[in-house]
Amino acid sequence: MIDAVRDPVPQVTTAGEYVASLRDVRRRSGLTYREVAQRASAAGHWLPPSTLATMLGRTTLPRERTVTALLAACGTSAPEIERWLDLHRDIEARLCEPMRPTGRPASGESTHPAPPDSAPVAVEATGPRRSTDRPRSARRRLPLGALALVGALTVGALLPAGDGMTPRSSGTGSSGPCPLVLRQGMYGPCVLDLQERLAASGLRVPVDGWFGPDTTSRVIAFQALHSLEVSGTVDRQVLDALQDSAVSPVAWTENRISKYLRARFPEDPSEAVRLARCLSGLDPLRVEVTADGSRRWGLFQFSDTELSRLGVDRRTALDPGWNIGAARDIWARTGDFRHWTCVSSV
């Protein structure tokens, strides 16, 4: 069971601060977007990962039902959820304050005077009101609609600036502005869509909306496997290849890899398995990017330089049979595993 969010409901006054507090709730829960969606569904709510990523990537108030779903999935108690919703309504009401007439009406005047002369032209151009007694919820529609439009234009607000924007299908039937190039460090629904496409292609990756090292590793592996330029960034060519990819990588399970390692290294099978696990987590498609920008490939993490010297392309390096065979050749020359150095953090 998740340790429910114990921090008190934040004392915030703006929509942006409110959303930032919701991001903190999700982060403290330790759940990925996919896990939040699953737990929300189990609690009777509907909150797809893409919706969650969009909500937390904006600076405008989300819908109350999505707030409820997120908080329930993260283990927040019902009374605390209600307090979050009360705060949501208070902020929403403050957002509508500029649309309310100010000052006391003079004697005999209507209690709902027309907007002041300083009101935006767009508001005045909507024509005379049909009724001067509309409820407050009706008066909110215009500003909230405007805020929703602004939110839609700022979905990528947390993505680094500098890249042009282009409409792209989100994979869920909708489209939205995404950078022309996705790269490590970015965050949001566009990254979530990328991760879902990578997973669909057979590459296991956390689907959490964050373009971190794991996503970079999978992007590089995909590029190598499909003979694309190995850059670790995602442009239209990579997205098209992901869309058209019909062949999933052949997956070797950890059990199969362990058995194969023991068979190829009968002199020291336990150390062979330990070393490969330390280097790559027994993940044959693991790619690590070093501090100098070079890369290491596969189970035994052969470097770019080693692959060049061996005359092997990167796709071959990700084949577990070749990778283990190359490691065996090195062991045969040295008689041990001194070629590699890896100290497990466990």
Side-chain angles (χ1 to χ4, degrees):
M1 180 178 178
I2 298 176
D3 183 18
V5 179
R6 302 301 181 189
D7 293 346
V9 176
Q11 300 301 310
V12 299
T13 59
T14 68
E17 292 172 344
Y18 188 87
V19 175
S21 297
L22 290 175
R23 284 198 294 270
D24 286 341
V25 170
R26 204 281 306 175
R27 177 180 53 79
R28 290 195 303 271
S29 73
L31 298 172
T32 66
Y33 284 21
R34 183 73 63 186
E35 290 169 336
V36 169
Q38 292 171 346
R39 291 177 180 271
S41 178
H45 303 284
W46 184 81
L47 186 59
S50 56
T51 300
L52 177 60
T54 300
M55 175 181 77
L56 297 183
R58 292 177 173 174
T59 56
T60 54
L61 279 179
R63 295 181 179 180
E64 288 190 12
R65 65 175 178 81
T66 55
V67 173
T68 301
L70 169 60
L71 295 174
C74 292
T76 308
S77 66
E80 286 181 327
I81 291 176
E82 189 57 38
R83 290 171 58 202
W84 274 90
L85 296 181
D86 286 342
L87 179 58
H88 182 287
R89 294 161 191 149
D90 289 343
I91 295 174
E92 184 181 31
R94 280 196 293 272
L95 289 173
C96 297
E97 282 295 329
M99 298 303 297
R100 299 178 188 172
T102 57
R104 281 182 189 276
S107 177
E109 289 184 356
S110 169
T111 57
H112 299 281
D117 292 339
S118 60
V121 174
V123 175
E124 295 179 350
T126 58
R129 297 183 179 182
R130 295 183 180 179
S131 169
T132 58
D133 298 319
R134 287 186 298 174
R136 187 174 69 178
S137 61
R139 294 200 303 273
R140 291 178 183 173
R141 291 175 185 168
L142 178 59
L144 289 181
L147 288 169
L149 176 60
V150 172
L153 296 175
T154 56
V155 169
L158 295 183
L159 300 177
D163 291 311
M165 306 295 284
T166 181
R168 174 170 65 81
S169 170
S170 66
T172 59
S174 60
S175 62
C178 288
L180 291 172
V181 177
L182 295 173
R183 56 171 54 90
Q184 185 166 322
M186 290 182 170
Y187 168 85
C190 298
V191 176
L192 191 73
D193 173 40
L194 166 65
Q195 292 169 331
E196 290 174 342
R197 295 190 190 201
L198 288 168
S201 75
L203 293 164
R204 292 173 298 171
V205 64
V207 182
D208 55 9
W210 174 254
F211 200 135
D214 288 336
T215 300
T216 298
S217 174
R218 291 318 194 204
V219 167
I220 292 174
F222 180 85
Q223 290 170 328
L225 291 171
H226 290 79
S227 302
L228 300 172
E229 179 186 357
V230 176
S231 62
T233 60
V234 178
D235 57 13
R236 170 57 62 184
Q237 184 181 25
V238 175
L239 291 173
D240 288 344
L242 279 166
Q243 183 69 30
D244 298 336
S245 177
V247 180
S248 298
V250 177
W252 282 40
T253 64
E254 288 190 14
N255 185 53
R256 180 182 176 185
I257 291 170
S258 295
K259 287 182 178 179
Y260 193 72
L261 282 167
R262 292 177 183 279
R264 294 302 306 271
F265 294 92
E267 301 87 350
D268 197 350
S270 296
E271 178 60 15
V273 174
R274 186 206 71 80
L275 179 60
R277 187 183 300 278
C278 180
L279 290 168
S280 63
L282 294 184
D283 179 358
L285 300 178
R286 183 75 179 182
V287 181
E288 292 284 352
V289 180
T290 63
D292 63 4
S294 62
R295 290 161 291 238
R296 295 184 176 275
W297 302 82
L299 288 169
F300 282 92
Q301 293 289 279
F302 288 100
S303 67
D304 287 326
T305 301
E306 288 174 311
L307 296 184
S308 178
R309 186 169 62 245
L310 293 169
V312 173
D313 62 27
R314 292 145 177 172
R315 177 171 183 163
T316 301
L318 295 177
D319 175 75
W322 178 89
N323 206 283
I324 293 173
R328 174 66 197 184
D329 290 342
I330 293 174
W331 190 95
R333 292 196 301 270
T334 62
D336 54 29
F337 294 103
R338 75 181 74 170
H339 179 79
W340 297 273
T341 301
C342 186
V343 179
S344 176
S345 59
V346 180

